[in-house]
Amino acid sequence: MTSLDILCVNECQDTEIESDKSKFQELLKDREEHFYRGGKATWWNFYFSSKNYTGPFIKRDVQTTLKEQIESWSNCGKPISVKIITLFHHPGCGGTTTAMHVLWELRKTFRCATLSRKTDNFSDIAKEVATFSVYGSPSRNEFYPVLLLVDEFEDEESVSILQNNFQSAIAERYIRHEKPVVIILNCVRSQNPEVSAKSYPTNSVALSNKLSEQEQRAFKRKLDEIEKNHENPGHFYSFMIMKTNFDKTYIENTVRNTLKGLKEASKTTQLISFIALLNKYVKHSTISVSMCEEFLGITAVNSTWLQESIEDTIGSYATIFIRTEVEEYGRYEGLRIIHPLIAQQCIEELKNTYHIQQSNIMLDLLQTNVFHAAGIGREILTQNMKSMLVTRHRKEHGYESDTLFSPLIEEIHKDEGSLNVETVLKEGTKRFHQNPFICQALARHFYIREKNFTDSFDWAKKAVRILPSNSFILDTLGQIYKSELKAKMEAITEDHPISPEELDGLLKIASNASKTFEECQEQTEKSEKERSECEKSNSRHYGVYNTAGYLGQIEVCLYTVDVLLYIPWFKSNDKLSRKHLKQFLSGRWDISVDNVSKDYEVVNCVLGEHRPFLMKLKASLIKAFAFFQDYFVYMKQKTVNKESTEFKTRVKVSDLRKKYIDQFYDQDLMQIISGKDQKKKSDLLCKEEYRAGLEQYKADKFSGIMEYLTDHGKDVKKMESIVKAFTYLLEKSTHESEMLPRDKQNFILANIVLHCISPKSAEIKPVETLEKYGILQTLCVTLDFITNTQNPISWPHYCSGHKTSKNWIPNLNT
């Protein structure tokens, strides 16, 4: 099982090396020293303790809670095939070690394994885990529960997708289960584990970088043991950081004393700065030992079987480094700083004592050819460098806060200024000249930080040329247009009325922005089709659905309406002018020279030139709002953080829609229906008004009507008006051709929804009326919608809450 590192019940037991006391003592000393200096724990470390070769292995207090939670879920009577339990932990506080210790203690209760090859196809991993659970079982349908440690996935969604694949593999094998077949122990780094754990109150625990009194006593006892059995225990910095309860003063003194006497221009200083910078910003990052040796100029010495080591070359500075095995992109030995907090403090010490700025370190790293030539570890190092330049932190990916730029670029801007940011990013574009995302970062820097739209456009267009199919890069170009439009609009005041030239300029920018956001939407749809194919093949590389093109389109279109309000005959404080604006944007009214004075003939000419764009404004808004309407109703995010991010977008779209309604609609549906002069109007005019009112209430679409089922959308009066409007439209359509294809379907659905939220409403039509318009067809569409989308609405849940529904329509559960 190539994806799994299986923990055997008799792991490390009865090995040949244990019978050789000398070799075994050497192994024990080596593994203990590597672990307490800052290396990853191995099963040997737990074995030594369990067989009393060493003292008790230190347990963090949370370990008991975590173990109990796993055992509780394994014994629960819920028919859940796969369960995720998450351990959130500060970097470097023993999170992975604690998770491994739990597996060690439960290896006789569960079949335990760690996921070793995260780059594999998720489907293949799931098949291996399913095989692992049934191997040796009495029958093909019985299983042994599996406890799987998943350490440091990039985001929560990947683990959720892994869970889905496990569920499918278990179902395909027809494994009978009344308890979980697989429990995933998901180990996740977090800068604020307590807050992260609160998002999953029953399925997670938090491990912080603060020791309890009991834990401190355990560390003190362990230190006494280490001092008896090891030389130079003071160099066990990773252990000592925890023993001192992550004391900042201890870390500062350790780094200051270790780096004392550095020569600023030396290769050793450069190597320390390179690795420290990488370790500060990219978790699990290393530089391959072979690259470090080449950079330091280490060559074989006279004896053919001996070679000078890195540790020999850099001397006492080696105490803060540790070698580690890297398994991605081939297996090789890498070099890193022993602890993330040591790496961070090294950067501070280099800056404060030796005046070496982070921008200088990054520039040197980009310019040093050794690290970019073909060789072991080059690919992952290159990937990490790019990540330092462009990867932002987002709450939805589990970080403490959102950042506008990568944390490195944020800190350079804060400490050193914009010029150094530009220098570093431009050097990045030279080194990685075909990377569009560094160009994108430069474009974002110029328009967000500098308000320099000229340079921003240059870099954004270069990024688009390199990767024209990327919706996120197209969104950046659209955002630059939008920001320039907003900046120019702010310059227009009452004392400085808009000129024809300014109006033309603003409308050109708005038109370009709108076109770019349309392209962004098109590429998003193409990406989604590719994503669907990707999901069918069960690949683990899933795209993120980019909604920014739709949001940007809404904002630009509404800004364009604001631009038109600068024109005197469209001023917002004049009711008749506002009516003219609505008619103009709806394509029903044109401005002729007779309507305006000769002073505004040029303005009228400008509007004529941009007429195709202006006539599309309302249609573009309708399309974008319709997208969000479907997206919010049909889609459900897989993680709590993503739900939180989506909620902010939902609020923003809601606010923008209120502005849109205010600009394009005179009265709402309830006002139209209750209007006194309604009978005097022609059927054609009434139909137009009713359809406008339905559109305003979002009832012109299936998803809009479904939204009234949710708690935030329940509004009986509105729902009754919707039913009345559809009743009118159907009754007044004497021929089938006069009905829109969706009218009958939406009419029936509106009745169903009204019955769910207000079963006694007088506006609910009898079954005979619904049958007349094809209720069976609509029910099939409804059920198809529920079963084939990631819809948060559970139809049976709503129906079960209304007992009378069984007497009104066929039982939907059946």
Side-chain angles (χ1 to χ4, degrees):
M1 298 181 183
T2 57
S3 302
L4 306 177
D5 281 336
I6 296 171
L7 171 59
C8 301
V9 173
N10 62 340
E11 189 75 34
C12 304
Q13 191 174 320
D14 301 325
T15 56
E16 190 175 321
I17 195 171
E18 193 171 358
S19 61
D20 188 324
K21 290 186 178 180
S22 175
K23 287 184 178 179
F24 187 72
Q25 196 61 34
E26 187 179 334
L27 172 70
L28 187 152
K29 187 176 180 180
D30 179 67
R31 294 297 173 100
E32 287 273 290
E33 184 174 323
H34 183 80
F35 172 58
Y36 288 117
R37 284 193 66 237
K40 187 176 179 179
T42 66
W43 301 124
W44 281 107
N45 294 107
F46 304 112
Y47 180 75
F48 297 146
S49 177
S50 67
K51 295 299 181 181
N52 296 320
Y53 287 111
T54 63
F57 197 92
I58 298 173
K59 287 185 181 180
R60 297 298 303 272
D61 293 346
V62 77
Q63 185 171 324
T64 302
T65 306
L66 186 60
K67 184 179 173 184
E68 288 174 353
Q69 195 171 107
I70 291 169
E71 290 175 323
S72 173
W73 267 105
S74 70
N75 294 318
C76 77
K78 297 181 180 180
I80 299 171
S81 60
V82 184
K83 183 66 185 172
I84 299 173
I85 295 175
T86 305
L87 171 63
F88 292 102
H89 64 95
H90 276 114
C93 76
T96 302
T97 303
T98 297
M100 290 178 68
H101 202 174
V102 169
L103 260 67
W104 180 264
E105 291 191 335
L106 293 175
R107 70 190 188 283
K108 294 179 182 178
T109 307
F110 296 88
R111 290 194 164 176
C112 296
T114 59
L115 185 60
S116 60
R117 297 175 62 186
K118 292 183 290 187
T119 54
D120 278 357
N121 185 299
F122 273 170
S123 179
D124 291 343
I125 295 171
K127 289 174 184 175
E128 287 193 7
V129 171
T131 301
F132 187 37
S133 70
V134 300
Y135 180 78
S137 63
S139 73
R140 56 177 292 182
N141 302 119
E142 296 182 48
F143 68 93
Y144 297 98
V146 172
L147 178 58
L148 180 68
L149 172 59
V150 175
D151 190 19
E152 301 301 346
F153 259 18
E154 303 88 58
D155 53 57
E156 298 164 54
E157 187 172 356
S158 293
V159 181
S160 179
I161 296 166
L162 186 64
Q163 179 188 31
N164 293 340
N165 277 268
F166 285 172
Q167 289 168 338
S168 297
I170 290 166
E172 286 170 8
R173 280 182 170 267
Y174 301 103
I175 298 173
R176 293 195 302 266
H177 60 88
E178 294 179 354
K179 298 175 182 179
V181 179
V182 181
I183 292 181
I184 300 173
L185 176 52
N186 184 27
C187 202
V188 179
R189 283 188 177 196
S190 172
Q191 295 300 326
N192 201 333
E194 290 87 356
V195 173
S196 299
K198 284 179 181 177
S199 302
Y200 308 85
T202 59
N203 304 320
S204 66
V205 293
L207 181 64
S208 68
N209 55 4
K210 186 176 181 180
L211 301 181
S212 68
E213 291 184 6
Q214 179 177 311
E215 290 170 334
Q216 290 180 52
R217 288 193 296 271
F219 271 93
K220 188 177 185 305
R221 287 193 296 270
K222 180 59 72 172
L223 178 60
D224 294 338
E225 178 190 328
I226 290 172
E227 288 176 338
K228 291 177 184 177
N229 300 320
H230 294 274
E231 298 174 6
N232 300 319
H235 291 167
F236 292 6
Y237 296 132
S238 188
F239 173 82
M240 290 302 297
I241 286 172
M242 294 186 71
K243 193 268 172 189
T244 59
N245 207 0
F246 303 89
D247 182 61
K248 187 170 177 59
T249 303
Y250 169 78
I251 297 168
E252 289 173 351
N253 290 337
T254 297
V255 171
R256 187 177 299 115
N257 293 332
T258 303
L259 299 187
K260 190 178 293 182
L262 269 180
K263 295 179 182 178
E264 293 179 33
S266 71
K267 293 272 188 179
T268 297
T269 302
Q270 282 187 299
L271 185 64
I272 291 171
S273 67
F274 293 158
I275 298 179
L277 193 74
L278 278 164
N279 290 171
K280 178 180 178 181
Y281 292 107
V282 184
K283 60 186 178 184
H284 305 310
S285 56
T286 65
I287 297 181
S288 71
V289 167
S290 60
M291 276 188 178
C292 295
E293 289 172 343
E294 187 177 353
F295 176 74
L296 293 172
I298 294 175
T299 56
V301 295
N302 294 333
S303 300
T304 55
W305 61 87
L306 293 176
Q307 186 174 346
E308 185 181 2
S309 70
I310 293 173
E311 289 78 6
D312 293 334
T313 302
I314 64 178
S316 61
Y317 304 119
T319 58
I320 60 171
F321 287 104
I322 194 165
R323 293 179 182 232
T324 183
E325 189 176 65
V326 183
E327 295 186 18
E328 293 187 68
Y329 301 97
R331 185 170 292 191
Y332 62 90
E333 195 174 37
L335 198 66
R336 64 170 172 84
I337 303 289
I338 58 174
H339 195 279
L341 295 176
I342 295 284
Q344 290 180 34
Q345 191 57 42
C346 282
I347 295 299
E348 289 300 309
E349 184 67 15
L350 290 168
K351 180 176 68 174
N352 297 330
T353 303
Y354 301 96
H355 310 293
I356 301 174
Q357 301 286 355
Q358 292 186 90
S359 61
N360 299 125
I361 299 170
M362 192 64 205
L363 285 170
D364 287 345
L365 189 57
L366 288 167
Q367 293 168 351
T368 303
N369 291 328
V370 168
F371 300 121
H372 302 278
I376 297 173
R378 181 192 67 84
E379 189 173 350
I380 194 167
L381 178 59
T382 296
Q383 181 180 311
N384 288 340
M385 285 189 215
K386 293 175 182 176
S387 178
M388 288 165 67
L389 293 173
V390 302
T391 303
R392 291 182 269 167
H393 282 183
R394 294 187 181 277
K395 284 183 179 179
E396 63 188 80
H397 296 152
Y399 291 102
E400 190 174 1
S401 60
D402 293 327
T403 60
L404 281 170
F405 298 88
S406 71
L408 170 64
I409 297 301
E410 292 272 19
E411 283 204 24
I412 292 174
H413 181 267
K414 178 183 174 183
D415 298 337
E416 305 175 40
S418 290
L419 188 60
N420 284 13
V421 169
E422 293 169 28
T423 303
V424 168
L425 289 175
K426 285 178 179 177
E427 188 62 37
T429 63
K430 292 176 186 176
R431 172 58 71 179
F432 310 115
H433 62 278
Q434 284 302 308
N435 187 288
F437 303 108
I438 304 176
C439 298
Q440 181 191 25
L442 261 171
R444 294 183 70 255
H445 167 75
F446 278 118
Y447 95 81
I448 293 173
R449 301 283 195 203
E450 302 298 306
K451 305 301 178 187
N452 180 345
F453 298 111
T454 303
D455 287 347
S456 185
F457 277 122
D458 288 342
W459 286 107
K461 288 174 180 176
K462 183 175 182 180
V464 171
R465 284 196 297 272
I466 297 171
L467 193 59
S469 62
N470 187 278
S471 64
F472 293 95
I473 291 174
L474 285 166
D475 172 60
T476 294
L477 181 59
Q479 295 295 337
I480 298 168
Y481 280 121
K482 190 186 80 175
S483 297
E484 184 183 28
L485 176 65
K486 192 176 179 182
K488 289 184 179 295
M489 286 172 65
E490 289 171 354
I492 297 172
T493 63
E494 297 245 347
D495 302 329
H496 175 65
I498 193 167
S499 67
E501 293 76 21
E502 287 172 325
L503 177 63
D504 183 54
L506 289 173
L507 292 178
K508 281 180 180 175
I509 296 170
S511 178
N512 286 331
S514 179
K515 288 176 185 175
T516 305
F517 284 128
E518 280 181 6
E519 289 178 35
C520 176
Q521 294 166 28
E522 289 170 7
Q523 293 303 330
T524 295
E525 294 303 323
K526 287 181 183 178
S527 299
E528 186 63 10
K529 288 178 184 176
E530 292 170 6
R531 169 191 166 109
S532 297
E533 291 301 316
C534 201
E535 287 178 349
K536 287 174 187 175
S537 66
N538 290 315
S539 170
R540 68 176 300 270
H541 297 288
Y542 290 79
V544 176
Y545 198 95
N546 184 12
T547 62
Y550 296 94
L551 185 59
Q553 181 75 284
I554 291 170
E555 291 176 310
V556 164
C557 288
L558 291 178
Y559 281 151
T560 305
V561 176
D562 290 338
V563 168
L564 296 178
L565 292 174
Y566 291 136
I567 302 172
W569 57 75
F570 289 149
K571 276 187 178 177
S572 59
N573 57 356
D574 184 332
K575 191 173 181 180
L576 183 61
S577 296
R578 292 296 298 278
K579 184 178 180 181
H580 288 163
L581 175 61
K582 290 173 184 177
Q583 290 177 333
F584 176 69
L585 292 172
S586 299
R588 297 175 184 171
W589 183 72
D590 198 6
I591 304 170
S592 64
V593 178
D594 295 335
N595 297 117
V596 298
S597 65
K598 292 184 179 180
D599 295 337
Y600 296 108
E601 286 184 20
V602 181
V603 172
N604 188 39
C605 184
V606 170
L607 290 175
E609 290 176 6
H610 294 280
R611 181 184 176 87
F613 165 60
L614 295 172
M615 293 302 101
K616 281 175 58 182
L617 277 185
K618 187 175 182 182
S620 298
L621 284 164
I622 289 172
K623 179 186 174 185
F625 280 120
F627 162 81
F628 278 113
Q629 189 172 304
D630 289 348
Y631 182 80
F632 291 141
V633 173
Y634 293 167
M635 302 296 290
K636 180 174 175 62
Q637 296 295 346
K638 292 187 175 76
T639 66
V640 173
N641 284 320
K642 287 195 173 184
E643 282 184 354
S644 176
T645 302
E646 183 198 274
F647 179 74
K648 293 178 183 176
T649 305
R650 189 190 290 266
V651 171
K652 189 169 186 178
V653 171
S654 178
D655 291 340
L656 290 169
R657 197 172 192 283
K658 288 174 185 174
K659 183 176 179 181
Y660 160 71
I661 295 297
D662 182 58
Q663 298 285 14
F664 286 88
Y665 296 92
D666 295 315
Q667 54 184 340
D668 69 14
L669 187 58
M670 282 191 278
Q671 291 175 325
I672 294 169
I673 291 173
S674 62
K676 293 179 181 179
D677 59 342
Q678 202 66 16
K679 293 182 179 180
K680 298 177 183 179
K681 297 178 182 177
S682 66
D683 286 346
L684 181 61
L685 182 58
C686 282
K687 285 181 181 179
E688 288 181 0
E689 288 183 345
Y690 275 44
R691 291 202 183 280
L694 287 167
E695 181 188 308
Q696 185 182 352
Y697 279 7
K698 305 182 185 180
D700 58 328
K701 286 180 64 67
F702 198 90
S703 56
I705 300 172
M706 291 293 284
E707 192 174 340
Y708 284 87
L709 284 170
T710 59
D711 291 335
H712 70 275
K714 288 179 181 177
D715 190 319
V716 175
K717 294 294 183 185
K718 282 188 176 182
M719 202 67 239
E720 288 179 337
S721 297
I722 291 167
V723 170
K724 286 179 182 179
F726 277 121
T727 302
Y728 178 88
L729 290 173
L730 292 172
E731 287 176 351
K732 293 297 181 181
S733 300
T734 53
H735 299 289
E736 191 77 19
S737 59
E738 294 179 18
M739 301 180 192
L740 293 178
R742 62 179 180 268
D743 281 350
K744 291 189 289 185
Q745 182 175 295
N746 287 347
F747 166 67
I748 296 170
L749 181 62
N751 274 277
I752 294 173
V753 171
L754 178 57
H755 186 271
C756 285
I757 64 177
S758 180
K760 296 181 180 180
S761 172
E763 296 302 325
I764 300 173
K765 305 305 175 190
V767 176
E768 292 76 19
T769 303
L770 302 185
E771 286 175 342
K772 176 183 173 183
Y773 296 111
I775 186 171
L776 183 60
Q777 178 189 7
T778 301
L779 288 176
C780 289
V781 173
T782 306
L783 292 171
D784 182 65
F785 150 73
I786 292 165
T787 56
N788 290 294
T789 61
Q790 298 181 62
N791 187 2
I793 296 170
S794 171
W795 182 260
H797 165 75
Y798 284 102
C799 288
S800 63
H802 305 285
K803 296 179 181 178
T804 53
S805 63
K806 293 182 180 180
N807 302 322
W808 180 67
I809 55 173
N811 187 344
L812 289 183
N813 287 310
T814 304

